[in-house]
Amino acid sequence: MRKSGKQIVIGATGPGANTYDFPLLLKELLGVNIKIVSGYSSSSDIMLAIERKEVDGRAGSLSSITPFIDRKLVHPVIRARASEPGIEQLPVDESLAPNARAKAIMALRSAPEIVGRPYVMTPGTPAELLQTMRTAFASAIKDPALMAEAKKAKAELDYTPADKALEVMKEVLNQPKDVVEEFSKYIKFGE
Amino acid sequence: MIDALFEGLFLVLQWKALAFMLLGIGLGFWVGLLPGLGGATTLALMLPFIYTMQPVEAFAFLLGMHAVVATTGDITSVLFGVPGEGTSAATILDGHAMAKKGEAGRALGAALASSLVGAIVGAFALALAIPVVRPLVLSFGSPELFMLAIVGIAFIASLSAQGVRGMLRGFLAGGLGLFLATVGQDPQAGVARYTLGTLYLWQGLELIPVLVGIFAIPEIIDLVVRGTSIAGTRPSGRISKGAFEGVKDTFRHFGLTIRCSLIGTFIGIMPGMGGAVAQWMAYGHATQSARNAEERKGFGAGDVRGVLGPGAANNSKEGGSLIPTIAFGVPGSTAMAILLGAFFLLGMVPGPDMLSKHLPVTFSMVWTIVLANVITVLACFMFLNRLASLTTVRGQLLIPVILMLVFIGSYTSNNHYGDIVVTLLFGGVGYLMVLGGWPRAPFVLGLVLGKIAENYLYISVARYEAAWLTRPVVLVLIALAIAVILYPLFQSRRRAAHA
């Protein structure tokens, strides 16, 4: 993409959303010739814009783009750190980063995608209760009945263990000040 | 194509699909009557029940429910001036004015009959348009959608009173609506605008609390001040016998009903225009049918054409709005977004196949909308006159019930007390507008279309810079917008020449 020199027009909903932030970092940190057109009301609205050739592509979760990949309307070209079966071979944005700071900023942006939708408990919850809940979640994800129910409801269940989620959170919260400041230059929300 | 059309009908008429459709209609009927409890909420609540159904049965159930919500939503709009749905607010202007003149039965008859005609015309227009609907939708990019919003805003000229003063007030009211549409987080830069430091306003002003406030509160105050029933001192006998007259009105103004149905279908097909736009454009077009200044003044004061236009457009847009949802996977409204969820639950993928390989299933959806409306309208006519009699009940007895509907209706938008505050605030604005003779329709049109226009203008400029202005469809729509603005002027000149 960088070598082709051709400008790629990416549709987005707005700042703060992955549809905007992911291509923004590709543009600012990797130097890809991208023009972001934001303001679309939803991801599906952007897909329609792709279909009528108003924009060239978009960023988003694999599950929402899969029907359009199947229709050969779009092709996946790059992914963030979090992976899904079928796109493991794609280049990861962080691996193309020119320096450690850019890599850290990209990792920060993708942190929520690894954690997903966390279940949290209030501060002061007894350690054994926390452990019980963690074990319950770890066991539930192996429960065939739950998986069958999810399959029936066409729901995807991906599990990130608490240790992994905590590790990601610690990485996010322990970033040096200069990385946080530069991250804030790009990723803005509700100012 | 014809084969698919009939195959679709037979699919819906299978006993299980028909039974589920009737169940859906029953639910949708009551949901439509209750302000605020929108069709979208009910669709979401009913989604878990479709797991075990076949696609045709599930869509008969969901669409049967959704299709009648717009129809019965008109009932509270006419009787109490409380919009049953965000999409039935335009009916209030003349429908409730007719109820106050003792013509509630006639207004209800007209609203329901035009809804039926709208649903049928919309479905057939859609069936005929299916071969061209994909290229049609794809030819409307952001610049064209922006101009379509501008054509809608141009209808402010028709919705304003005659004369320079009337026009000025109309455009100022429209400007206020456009300004208030900017409240909330802007999607381009993520900046929070005019949110007064509250999180509630980040998502902008919700339409339902504003509509309920601006239309229903002034009517309640008026009812309190008058101290009579809604229909005043008119004899109840006449009020409760007008339903059939309303049906006759639909056929007296059949051309208008058809045109408004087609407006609804077209707006429905256009992804991104939203459900609330069609009724106001149709109302604007209905006001253009006034033949002289006297007739024009009658709009807003109980002209049956002001009921027929929005009634027809509201229901015809339903068939149209299916297209972007099923052919492109782009839902045009919250209800359609939930319907899209149903597609995935049933293992179906929206896309071009729905207009070719799965065309009978698509047609079965269109038929569901038609049949649901036919059944609802016939059922409604059995007790329409009794409903109309509610306008003869003493105000003191009705006001608590209407107030409850108003506050439940607005609160259920976000389940937030901010909704109630917005309703009361805009109730005050609405009352002052009524007192000062300021038109409310241009305000609502500005509010509804403001965000749409802003978004598409930004995208058009960001994507094409100034080149979007030279696109052929944009040029046609610019000409149309100018024609819509100049039409009232042309009309008054023609009248002067005839006089």
Side-chain angles (χ1 to χ4, degrees):
Chain A
M1 288 196 293
R2 201 164 40 190
K3 283 177 192 160
S4 79
K6 189 181 170 253
Q7 189 177 60
I8 303 162
V9 183
I10 298 293
T13 49
N18 277 341
T19 56
Y20 185 91
D21 295 343
F22 186 75
L24 181 74
L25 295 190
L26 294 184
K27 180 185 173 181
E28 299 289 343
L29 302 177
L30 300 190
V32 182
N33 187 4
I34 284 177
K35 177 178 180 177
I36 303 173
V37 176
S38 67
Y40 290 99
S41 58
S42 64
S43 304
S44 50
D45 205 24
I46 308 172
M47 291 312 309
L48 183 62
I50 294 172
E51 201 149 355
R52 63 184 177 229
K53 307 208 179 331
E54 193 167 288
V55 296
D56 301 320
R58 79 158 172 109
S61 66
L62 180 68
S63 58
S64 65
I65 298 181
T66 299
F68 301 95
I69 296 173
D70 293 344
R71 269 176 56 199
K72 301 197 179 348
L73 183 66
V74 287
H75 303 281
V77 287
I78 189 167
R79 70 172 173 88
R81 201 200 296 191
S83 187
E84 289 282 332
I87 56 164
E88 306 93 332
Q89 80 291 354
L90 290 179
V92 181
D93 57 349
E94 287 172 43
S95 65
L96 303 169
N99 53 53
R101 187 186 287 181
K103 189 175 175 165
I105 289 169
M106 288 176 158
L108 268 181
R109 191 215 56 80
S110 67
E113 292 157 12
I114 298 167
V115 177
R117 294 179 171 87
Y119 282 81
V120 294
M121 299 182 85
T122 50
T125 303
E128 66 268 33
L129 187 54
L130 270 179
Q131 195 48 50
T132 306
M133 291 302 289
R134 286 173 180 170
T135 312
F137 271 101
S139 310
I141 201 69
K142 292 177 192 146
D143 181 2
L146 177 72
M147 296 313 281
E149 191 68 26
K151 197 177 170 190
K152 203 170 101 186
K154 305 262 184 317
E156 283 178 30
L157 291 186
D158 284 326
Y159 171 65
T160 304
D163 297 341
K164 175 73 182 164
L166 276 175
E167 188 190 309
V168 173
M169 288 309 297
K170 277 181 188 151
E171 193 187 333
V172 168
L173 295 173
N174 291 323
Q175 288 297 325
K177 199 176 168 208
D178 61 321
V179 171
V180 175
E181 275 171 3
E182 193 163 345
F183 180 81
S184 310
K185 257 170 53 188
Y186 304 120
I187 310 297
K188 293 175 177 170
F189 184 71
E191 288 181 353
Chain B
M1 167 74 79
I2 299 292
D3 290 350
L5 185 73
F6 284 105
E7 201 179 328
L9 177 63
F10 294 135
L11 283 172
V12 185
L13 291 179
Q14 287 170 349
W15 77 268
K16 259 176 115 175
L18 194 64
F20 279 120
M21 183 174 74
L22 290 173
L23 186 65
I25 290 171
L27 282 164
F29 190 96
W30 293 109
V31 169
L33 282 178
L34 294 173
L37 183 57
T41 314
T42 324
L43 276 180
L45 289 172
M46 292 300 128
L47 220 47
F49 293 97
I50 67 166
Y51 285 129
T52 53
M53 296 183 197
Q54 291 300 312
V56 173
E57 294 159 10
F59 288 120
F61 175 61
L62 295 177
L63 275 174
M65 183 164 61
H66 179 63
V68 301
V69 167
T71 311
T72 53
D74 284 339
I75 294 175
T76 46
S77 296
V78 169
L79 291 179
F80 310 126
V82 182
E85 299 294 314
T87 52
S88 59
T91 316
I92 293 174
L93 291 173
D94 282 284
H96 190 60
M98 285 176 76
K100 289 205 284 192
K101 287 198 307 188
E103 294 182 330
R106 185 180 167 200
L108 286 173
L112 290 174
S114 60
S115 295
L116 179 60
V117 172
I120 295 171
V121 170
F124 279 99
L126 194 63
L128 290 173
I130 274 181
V132 293
V133 86
R134 218 181 129 71
L136 177 72
V137 171
L138 290 179
S139 68
F140 270 72
S142 296
E144 289 78 15
L145 290 170
F146 166 69
M147 277 315 302
L148 205 55
I150 293 298
V151 171
I153 290 169
F155 271 104
I156 287 175
S158 300
L159 294 171
S160 307
Q162 300 285 297
V164 177
R165 191 182 158 88
M167 206 60 92
L168 191 67
R169 283 182 166 188
F171 275 95
L172 282 173
L176 179 66
L178 285 171
F179 166 68
L180 290 173
T182 63
V183 172
Q185 198 188 17
D186 95 292
Q188 284 81 38
V191 177
R193 298 181 300 200
Y194 313 114
T195 52
L196 310 175
T198 64
L199 201 58
Y200 172 78
L201 288 173
W202 269 39
Q203 58 182 356
L205 281 167
E206 193 77 37
L207 197 57
I208 290 273
V210 175
L211 289 178
V212 167
I214 208 153
F215 288 111
I217 300 285
E219 297 304 338
I220 294 169
I221 297 173
D222 178 56
L223 199 56
V224 172
V225 172
R226 282 195 291 144
T228 61
S229 66
I230 290 171
T233 51
R234 271 117 187 146
S236 62
R238 190 174 139 241
I239 294 165
S240 59
K241 281 180 187 158
F244 191 62
E245 199 56 34
V247 180
K248 285 203 271 185
D249 282 323
T250 307
F251 291 97
R252 265 184 219 125
H253 305 285
F254 199 58
L256 175 72
T257 313
I258 298 284
R259 289 197 303 278
C260 289
S261 304
L262 295 176
I263 289 175
T265 309
F266 181 71
I267 297 294
I269 288 175
M270 287 300 124
M273 290 306 282
V277 177
Q279 55 170 344
W280 292 104
M281 285 178 84
Y283 185 79
H285 178 62
T287 60
Q288 289 175 338
S289 65
R291 281 164 298 196
N292 52 49
E294 241 1 82
E295 269 192 29
R296 177 60 192 82
K297 274 185 197 158
F299 277 93
D303 191 309
V304 74
R305 286 171 292 182
V307 177
L308 296 172
N314 249 344
N315 287 57
S316 65
K317 79 167 194 318
E318 293 305 330
S321 64
L322 273 176
I323 289 299
T325 313
I326 60 180
F328 298 96
V330 182
S333 61
T334 316
M336 286 296 144
I338 295 163
L339 201 73
L340 197 63
F343 265 88
F344 294 118
L345 283 180
L346 296 163
M348 293 175 75
V349 182
D353 281 354
M354 292 303 296
L355 298 181
S356 52
K357 208 160 75 184
H358 303 304
L359 194 55
V361 179
T362 303
F363 273 127
S364 78
M365 295 183 195
V366 175
W367 278 114
T368 301
I369 293 173
V370 174
L371 292 176
N373 269 288
V374 171
I375 293 166
T376 307
V377 169
L378 291 178
C380 280
F381 269 103
M382 286 196 285
F383 56 90
L384 210 53
N385 287 328
R386 288 197 179 278
L387 277 174
S389 302
L390 282 172
T391 56
T392 62
V393 174
R394 266 189 303 142
Q396 295 97 313
L397 297 174
L398 269 186
I399 287 166
V401 180
I402 301 175
L403 273 176
M404 190 185 72
L405 291 178
V406 161
F407 289 119
I408 290 178
S410 68
Y411 184 73
T412 48
S413 296
N414 293 303
N415 290 343
H416 194 288
Y417 287 110
D419 296 331
I420 304 284
V421 176
V422 168
T423 298
L424 290 172
L425 193 72
F426 281 92
V429 172
Y431 188 64
L432 289 176
M433 287 177 93
V434 172
L435 274 187
W438 286 65
R440 288 172 291 176
F443 167 77
V444 177
L445 202 61
L447 183 66
V448 167
L449 286 168
K451 199 156 257 177
I452 298 171
E454 185 197 350
N455 263 5
Y456 286 124
L457 175 62
Y458 181 88
I459 295 171
S460 304
V461 175
R463 174 65 185 88
Y464 303 106
E465 292 169 1
W468 67 271
L469 281 162
T470 58
R471 290 160 71 104
V473 181
V474 168
L475 293 172
V476 171
L477 290 169
I478 289 173
L480 185 62
I482 293 170
V484 169
I485 292 170
L486 294 181
Y487 188 75
L489 195 72
F490 166 74
Q491 252 186 334
S492 57
R493 288 247 170 114
R494 198 175 55 175
R495 274 180 225 125
H498 278 276

